[in-house]
């Protein structure tokens, strides 16, 4: 079913090229239909890329989906113009009186900061508090999953010895959950982060359960028992080439990143200099 977007939004053309049904707001207003209303707090650096990734997934709904992108007024964005944000994104103050079926809060490259050191922490906390009464269900992705667990349940994150990057094998721990219905017992998913959460901290916290986890990457899907708060400690929205783009970005900065695990095929540190960001080697999602 269609995704409802502003007619001039740049991502619209890319979605139509992928044969994803996108409907303008003007046309949608003439349909007598109950829309699924989703708000997205997009904190990822590459706004249009994240928009495209999330909208692809939301288009799989059998309902008409109206998407509202939110920006944080307390944050200075570096990779997108203010004109773009003002044109296609709402502020929290503009929507706080409304109700939404769902809210998605994306990850952000701020894992190594304490939560209170993040410049928009107070504003994001206000949104998470607002979501308790105004959103049916909120999904927190990657850093936002850790931030949400901290805000709602006081669960602390911890620093990893090195960046966790790659494709990891996960298994279901709550086979009868409505949220994971249709999942395989084991499935692969991408991670890209410097911090994590301890499963033991979740086990001793009332009101939440681990629905899926990885022996290497730790808890993956955590949910409140009522399903109103969902925490996905990874990046299920990533495209097949996103980890490669991140790898080459960091390599070009001289960071010397580890090669994403279970991702590139037949590639070593010694051979990586023979490739460029425009010529990405074949990658594999096979675990083992």
């Amino acid at each position: 079913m269609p995704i409802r977007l502003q007619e001039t939004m740049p991502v619209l053309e890319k979605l139509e090229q992928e044969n994803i049904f996108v409907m303008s707001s003007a046309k949608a207003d003439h349909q007598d239909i109950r829309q699924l209303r989703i708000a997205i707090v997009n904190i990822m650096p590459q706004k249009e890329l994240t928009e495209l990734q999330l909208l692809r997934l939301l288009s799989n709904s059998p309902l008409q989906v109206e998407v509202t992108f939110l920006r944080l007024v307390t944050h200075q964005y570096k990779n997108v113009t203010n004109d773009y944000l003002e044109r296609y994104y709402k502020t929290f103050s503009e929507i706080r009186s409304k109700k939404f079926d769902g809210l998605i809060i994306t990850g952000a490259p701020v894992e190594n900061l304490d939560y209170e050191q993040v410049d928009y922490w107070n504003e994001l906390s206000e949104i998470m508090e607002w979501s308790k009464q105004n959103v049916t269900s909120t999904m927190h992705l990657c850093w936002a999953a850790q931030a949400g667990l901290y805000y709602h349940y006081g669960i602390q994150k911890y620093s990893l010895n090195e960046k966790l990057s790659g494709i990891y094998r996960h298994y279901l721990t709550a086979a009868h959950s409505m949220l994971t219905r249709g999942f395989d017992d084991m499935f692969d998913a991408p991670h890209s982060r410097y911090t994590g959460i301890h499963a033991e901290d979740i086990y001793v916290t009332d009101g939440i359960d681990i629905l899926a986890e990885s022996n290497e990457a730790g808890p993956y899907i955590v949910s409140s028992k009522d399903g109103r708060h969902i925490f996905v400690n990874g990046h299920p929205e990533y495209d097949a080439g996103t980890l490669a783009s991140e790898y080459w970005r960091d390599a070009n900065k001289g960071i010397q990143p580890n090669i994403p695990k279970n991702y590139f095929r037949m590639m070593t540190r010694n051979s990586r200099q023979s490739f460029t960001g425009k010529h990405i080697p074949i990658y594999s999602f096979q675990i083992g």
Side-chain angles (χ1 to χ4, degrees), residues 41-64:
V41 182
N42 184 5
I43 327 174
M44 290 291 280
Q46 298 186 52
K47 293 291 177 288
E48 290 191 43
L49 176 60
T50 302
E51 292 165 8
L52 183 62
Q53 291 171 341
L54 292 174
L55 290 172
R56 281 195 191 110
L57 299 176
L58 290 173
S59 70
N60 290 319
S61 169
L63 302 174
Q64 185 184 120

Side-chain angles (χ1 to χ4, degrees), residues 187-201:
F187 61 95
D188 304 332
H191 289 261
S192 178
R193 51 187 167 85
Y194 290 93
T195 56
I197 50 177
H198 289 297
E200 292 78 8
D201 292 336

